[in-house]
Every structure is written in structure tokens, then in C-alpha cells.
């Protein structure tokens, strides 16, 4: 049984009425009952009938079988034919949803963007309303997403998930888009199948030879040492997300960066019970294990890097052991999470990471890149060589600006200690003032709904 309200199926009054004999809801009910008894509501609004049923199965049955009415077989529409611009229930339409474009951006910009992908629209741009999370009942308030109906794309083509509209990064969703979920990869021979299906010999991940592992002197990509590489892994290392430390982010105290990340993952993917379990998990490893069975959605995958950046920045602000290590590094330092994770890490263990040319690491090392970004943007400047009177006015004014900035930052930090608001990572004074305005306006992020979404959404729109 489905909970809440299912989407209705549709009928055009003009398709079922004959001559001047009007159709009543009772007459229609009698005919639909032959197909399914799970009817909740039959409602007419001018030229359109909506039939609401109780279960997904009966909705599917109605859509595939239709029903007989006044000796004619009737097919029902899956989407509102007047909205979708369809003429026959057999005509397929594709619903395309666009997220992340501020409501203030003109619809014309969205049409222009879809035009550039040669999408042939069958409806005008429409606006999505906020719905109740469990009953799915619609409210009158918009959620900022827009959608449009179009002819199905040719030859199984699909639109990119990430695109630009009026210079703003946005996300496009439609049925049939390839999912970013995992492609099989054998950890024995590195072919595209699961390890349990492997019949090959064990191979080096880097050069695919069979007589060594990555980091071995026999490997083509072997390097004796890489001066600027700091590899890290494991709960003992403050650089690791598994390092036990208290991080206050999104209005909640977490026991490690890993706890924070997995907690928000569970919330955003709608798994509240796992979120609670993750929050209470003793170790970061426990938190990670609990998260393994969360059904991750593509939207989360699209935003996970931004989320991690936010958490790591909070860790930099709040965890001294972590900040101290980062502050000591050069801009050229390559941080490398030496774990078998191809997105966050190098995809290699410690030996493999340190003794394989970094350009050959199979993983994207995204966590390491985030650390590097912090070192280049947030680390305090090295002490000035001389405090003597600046040589020219330009230098003097630059110094005043930098003093002003650091005092703003200090007062911002003090304010942050008092109010449990989100940390703002930007160093620009304009953004700092904006943050303060937000604080003054009583912005709070302690309610569950705003977990991560609001602050991230704000950043996202401006990017
Ligand atoms: Zn294999
Ligand atoms: Zn090799």
C-alpha cells in the first residue's frame, strides 16, 4: 500500500462525452470500477477529469489497461494533457526538472538552455510547489524548481545532469538519465566486473602487470619519494575524517568529520532512523558502516563535495590538531588520503600512494584537494618580514585593508562562538557582512529541515 496521495490519472472530457449527453461522476465511477476498485476520488474540473486511486498497482493497471465507457475503449493520460501538451494518451512526453535556478531568473533563460540541447518542448515552463513529505499534498508555496514537458529525446540520448542557465550552475533531471551510481570494478584485476566474478590473476592497479603491487619498485609509475606529498589515513591521524573530535556543524555536535558527513547523507536521502544511529555511533567506522545501506540519491551525489568542504572548513575552525597541521604546510603540498576510495582518496594504500607518481593515482583524491584549497585560502599569511613604515601609499593602504580584514574575522569568530550559526568560509569582507546580516535577521539552522540545505543552497545559487 502506498501512503499519502498518489498522482492522479487524467481524462479529457471531450474524449468521453458523446453528443449533448453529459458525463456524470457516478457514470464514470461505474465504468472505472470494472478496472479497479481502489478508487479514492473522481473529480471534474472544466474539460479535465482526474481519477485518484489508492495504490500504485491500481494506477499502473488503469494506465496500461484503460477501461470501457459507453461502448468505447478509453485510455487515460499519465500526465495532465493540457499541461503536457499531449493529444493522445499513447503519445509519450518527458518531464524535465530544473533545479537550482533562482526564481528571479526569467523562464526564457531556461528555454534557451534547453534549446541549446535541442530539446523540443511541448509545454510552457511550470513551477513546482512544496509538498508535504509524507502525504504529498500540495501547498501553494513554490519550491523554486521548474519543470517542463518535452518530446522524448532521440536514440536514448539524455541531458547532462549539471548545466549552466543564465551563467548559474543548475541541475537537470529526467527519466532515463544515466545514474551516477557505481560501475562495477574488480579489485583483483581492475576489469569492469565484480571481484566475485573474477577469474583473472591479481594485477597492479597502475600498470596492470601481474608480478607486483602499486608502490613496488617494479611498477612503471614507481617513484622513490615525492617531497610534497603528505599521505594520511586512519583515526590516529588528525587529517583523517575518522579522527575523533567534536565538530559542531548544521546545528548538531558530531563525533568526527565522518559522523557529520554520514549524518547529513542520511538526512538528505530521507533515512531519519539511520541518521539517528549515525549520530550515536561510537566510532567513525561504525558511522560509515551504518551509512552503507542508505539509498543514495543522485542529488546527494551532486552536492557531496560541497558538503564535505563545509564540514572540513568547520573542522579547520574548531579542531586545533587539524588546523595546526594544515597551517604548517606549503601551498604546493599535496594531501593524499591513502585509502581504497576512488573519489575521496587516491585509490591506493599508504605505500602505493607514496611510491606512485601522483599523476598516476587512480583515485580523484577529492578530500586532499579540499585540504589544499583550505591551505591556499584560509591559512594565515606568514609573518611579515618587516614592520617598518611602508614605502608608498599603496602598500600602506593594503596593510590597512588587511588589518581591517583580520579584525573583522576576529569579531566574526567571537560572534560565532556565541551564536551557533553556520561557519562562513569566505574571507571576503562583503560576504562576512552578509553573514552578519543573516545573523541579525535571526537566521538559525537548528531545525531539522534546514540541515545543511539552506547554507549550501545559498552558496550554490551564487555559484
Ligand atoms: Zn577481475
Ligand atoms: Zn605496477
Amino acid at each position: 500500500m502506498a501512503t499519502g496521495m498518489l498522482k492522479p490519472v487524467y481524462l479529457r472530457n471531450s474524449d468521453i462525452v458523446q453528443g449533448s449527453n453529459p458525463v456524470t461522476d457516478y457514470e464514470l465511477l461505474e465504468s472505472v470500477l470494472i478496472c479497479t476498485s481502489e478508487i479514492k476520488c473522481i473529480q471534474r474540473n472544466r474539460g479535465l477529469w482526474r481519477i485518484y486511486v489508492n495504490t500504485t498497482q491500481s494506477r499502473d493497471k488503469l494506465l496500461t489497461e484503460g477501461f470501457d465507457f459507453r461502448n468505447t475503449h478509453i485510455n487515460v493520460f499519465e500526465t495532465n494533457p493540457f499541461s503536457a501538451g499531449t493529444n493522445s494518451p499513447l503519445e509519450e512526453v518527458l518531464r524535465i526538472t530544473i533545479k537550482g535556478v533562482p526564481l528571479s531568473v526569467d523562464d526564457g533563460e531556461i528555454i534557451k538552455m534547453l534549446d541549446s540541447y535541442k530539446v523540443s518542448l511541448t509545454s510552457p515552463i511550470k513551477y513546482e510547489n512544496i509538498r508535504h513529505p509524507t502525504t504529498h499534498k500540495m501547498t501553494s508555496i513554490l519550491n523554486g524548481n521548474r519543470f517542463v514537458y518535452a518530446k522524448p529525446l532521440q536514440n536514448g540520448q539524455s541531458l547532462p545532469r549539471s548545466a549552466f542557465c543564465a551563467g548559474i550552475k543548475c541541475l537537470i533531471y529526467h527519466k532515463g538519465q544515466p545514474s551516477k551510481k557505481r560501475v562495477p570494478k574488480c579489485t583483483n584485476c581492475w576489469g569492469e566486473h565484480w571481484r566475485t566474478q573474477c577469474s583473472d590473476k591479481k594485477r597492479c592497479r597502475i600498470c596492470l602487470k601481474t608480478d607486483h603491487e602499486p608502490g613496488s619498485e617494479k611498477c612503471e609509475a614507481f617513484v622513490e619519494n615525492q617531497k610534497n606529498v603528505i599521505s594520511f589515513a586512519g583515526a590516529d591521524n588528525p587529517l583523517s575524517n575518522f579522527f575523533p573530535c567534536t565538530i559542531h556543524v548544521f546545528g548538531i555536535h558530531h563525533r568526527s568529520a565522518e559522523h557529520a558527513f554520514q549524518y547529513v547523507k542520511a538526512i538528505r536521502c530521507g533515512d531519519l532512523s539511520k541518521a539517528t544511529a549515525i549520530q550515536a555511533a561510537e566510532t567513525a567506522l561504525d558511522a560509515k558502516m551504518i551509512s552503507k545501506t542508505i539509498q543514495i540519491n543522485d542529488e546527494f551525489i551532486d552536492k557531496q563535495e560541497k558538503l564535505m568542504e563545509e564540514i572540513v572548513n568547520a573542522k579547520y575552525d574548531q579542531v586545533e590538531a587539524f588546523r595546526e597541521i594544515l597551517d604548517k604546510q606549503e601551498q604546493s603540498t599535496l594531501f593524499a588520503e591513502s585509502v581504497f576510495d576512488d573519489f575521496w582518496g587516491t585509490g591506493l594504500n599508504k605505500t602505493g600512494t607514496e611510491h606512485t607518481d601522483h599523476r598516476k593515482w587512480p583515485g580523484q583524491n577529492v578530500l586532499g584537494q579540499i585540504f589544499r584549497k583550505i591551505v591556499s585560502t584560509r591559512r594565515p599569511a606568514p609573518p611579515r618580514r618587516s614592520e617598518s613604515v611602508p614605502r608608498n601609499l599603496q602598500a600602506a593602504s593594503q596593510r590597512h585593508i588587511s588589518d581591517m580584514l583580520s579584525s573583522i574575522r576576529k569579531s566574526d569568530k567571537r560572534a560565532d562562538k556565541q551564536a551557533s550559526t553556520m561557519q562562513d568560509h569566505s574571507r571576503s569582507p562583503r560576504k562576512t557582512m552578509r553573514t552578519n546580516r543573516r545573523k541579525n535577521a535571526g537566521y538559525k539552522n537548528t531545525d531539522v529541515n534546514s540541515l545543511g540545505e539552506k547554507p549550501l543552497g545559498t552558496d550554490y545559487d551564487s555559484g
Side-chain angles (χ1 to χ4, degrees):
M1 272 290 289
T3 54
M5 203 86 160
L6 283 177
K7 203 174 171 267
V9 297
Y10 305 85
L11 276 176
R12 287 186 302 197
N13 193 56
S14 57
D15 290 340
I16 52 173
V17 76
Q18 284 143 357
S20 57
N21 190 4
V23 177
T24 65
D25 46 14
Y26 189 80
E27 189 187 2
L28 196 54
L29 170 64
E30 280 188 314
S31 302
V32 180
L33 270 175
I34 296 167
C35 176
T36 173
S37 59
E38 302 264 16
I39 304 163
K40 188 191 185 93
C41 167
I42 294 182
Q43 181 183 20
R44 181 181 163 183
N45 181 11
R46 286 176 289 172
L48 186 73
W49 288 91
R50 287 183 173 85
I51 304 173
Y52 293 88
V53 291
N54 291 322
T55 65
T56 321
Q57 291 90 319
S58 44
R59 185 173 184 270
D60 288 345
K61 189 158 186 264
L62 209 46
L63 281 168
T64 47
E65 291 177 13
F67 59 92
D68 289 330
F69 183 78
R70 294 184 181 175
N71 298 322
T72 312
H73 188 73
I74 305 288
N75 287 308
V76 299
F77 287 86
E78 183 170 14
T79 45
N80 180 337
F82 298 113
S83 298
T86 38
N87 269 315
S88 147
L90 305 172
E91 197 180 310
E92 270 187 71
V93 278
L94 184 68
R95 182 187 151 124
I96 301 171
T97 306
I98 300 102
K99 300 188 181 184
V101 180
L103 199 61
S104 54
V105 171
D106 194 84
D107 287 349
E109 296 295 331
I110 291 178
I111 294 173
K112 229 191 271 172
M113 170 183 75
L114 293 171
D115 252 6
S116 73
Y117 294 115
K118 311 227 179 322
V119 177
S120 150
L121 304 182
T122 60
S123 83
I125 304 281
K126 295 161 184 300
Y127 301 87
E128 233 173 63
N129 293 60
I130 294 178
R131 282 175 188 271
H132 188 279
T134 49
T135 65
H136 302 297
K137 287 201 173 168
M138 201 192 271
T139 70
S140 61
I141 311 295
L142 304 179
N143 68 7
N145 297 342
R146 280 177 249 200
F147 65 97
V148 66
Y149 292 98
K151 290 193 178 147
L153 304 172
Q154 290 184 331
N155 317 322
Q157 284 174 336
S158 62
L159 300 176
R161 175 57 48 81
S162 170
F164 282 89
C165 179
I168 294 163
K169 199 176 172 202
C170 66
L171 298 170
I172 303 177
Y173 294 84
H174 68 78
K175 225 179 185 172
Q177 237 172 349
S179 164
K180 284 190 181 171
K181 281 160 203 159
R182 294 199 302 159
V183 179
K185 176 141 262 182
C186 174
T187 53
N188 192 52
C189 74
W190 307 103
E192 279 197 6
H193 50 259
W194 297 115
R195 184 175 183 148
T196 47
Q197 299 154 345
C198 186
S199 53
D200 199 355
K201 281 186 188 158
K202 189 168 175 60
R203 292 176 182 276
C204 166
R205 173 126 202 224
I206 310 298
C207 64
L208 299 179
K209 289 193 179 140
T210 53
D211 61 345
H212 65 266
E213 289 191 13
S216 151
E217 284 181 39
K218 289 182 185 167
C219 187
E220 283 169 12
F222 175 80
V223 284
E224 184 60 49
N225 67 44
Q226 304 182 87
K227 247 196 288 171
N228 297 329
V229 171
I230 294 188
S231 77
F232 64 93
D236 297 339
N237 191 324
L239 291 177
S240 166
N241 280 352
F242 279 35
F243 181 69
C245 56
T246 303
I247 299 178
H248 186 261
V249 66
F250 311 128
I252 287 180
H253 286 94
H254 302 274
R255 295 175 174 189
S256 70
E258 187 72 19
H259 279 82
F261 181 79
Q262 302 299 357
Y263 175 82
V264 179
K265 180 196 281 181
I267 293 280
R268 291 199 187 160
C269 298
D271 202 329
L272 296 180
S273 65
K274 289 215 180 75
T276 312
I278 287 165
Q279 204 193 344
E282 193 90 356
T283 67
L285 185 63
D286 293 340
K288 190 178 177 128
M289 294 317 282
I290 295 166
S291 78
K292 291 234 157 157
T293 47
I294 295 172
Q295 294 280 318
I296 301 173
N297 57 46
D298 283 358
E299 199 177 348
F300 174 79
I301 295 176
D302 285 327
K303 290 185 179 167
Q304 62 177 348
E305 197 175 328
K306 190 101 192 162
L307 167 66
M308 186 65 90
E309 217 177 304
E310 201 128 3
I311 292 169
V312 173
N313 271 285
K315 186 174 171 183
Y316 179 82
D317 288 324
Q318 299 167 26
V319 181
E320 204 181 339
F322 178 64
R323 186 170 59 243
E324 270 179 0
I325 298 179
L326 257 52
D327 283 353
K328 271 189 233 147
Q329 305 312 319
E330 301 294 325
Q331 291 226 8
S332 58
T333 301
L334 265 180
F335 297 92
E337 193 191 20
S338 43
V339 290
F340 296 119
D341 181 311
D342 286 356
F343 182 72
W344 300 113
T346 60
L348 301 171
N349 64 12
K350 191 172 159 65
T351 312
T353 300
E354 288 171 359
H355 294 291
T356 298
D357 182 342
H358 67 85
R359 289 163 297 190
K360 297 282 171 64
W361 289 340
Q364 296 177 52
N365 192 31
V366 171
L367 187 61
Q369 313 278 5
I370 292 175
F371 290 1
R372 195 173 197 189
K373 199 164 158 189
I374 292 181
V375 168
S376 66
T377 58
R378 304 206 55 206
R379 189 185 52 158
R384 256 176 254 118
R385 282 206 184 85
S386 150
E387 285 295 329
S388 63
V389 181
R391 279 183 197 159
N392 56 42
L393 277 172
Q394 197 189 0
S397 73
Q398 271 169 2
R399 211 190 68 171
H400 288 148
I401 288 168
S402 84
D403 287 345
M404 188 183 80
L405 279 177
S406 76
S407 75
I408 287 173
R409 253 174 260 133
K410 274 179 206 153
S411 68
D412 200 30
K413 267 198 179 146
R414 275 198 299 275
D416 270 354
K417 273 182 192 159
Q418 284 159 8
S420 63
T421 47
M422 278 292 305
Q423 293 287 345
D424 193 301
H425 313 133
S426 167
R427 310 197 92 190
S428 89
R430 204 154 54 93
K431 200 154 182 189
T432 309
M433 281 180 231
R434 219 195 295 151
T435 314
N436 287 338
R437 266 211 303 278
R438 202 166 60 180
K439 281 170 191 160
N440 294 340
Y443 176 88
K444 282 195 182 113
N445 67 331
T446 43
D447 62 309
V448 173
N449 285 340
S450 72
L451 276 165
E453 290 293 357
K454 276 182 190 163
L456 282 182
T458 317
D459 282 349
Y460 182 71
D461 280 348
S462 60

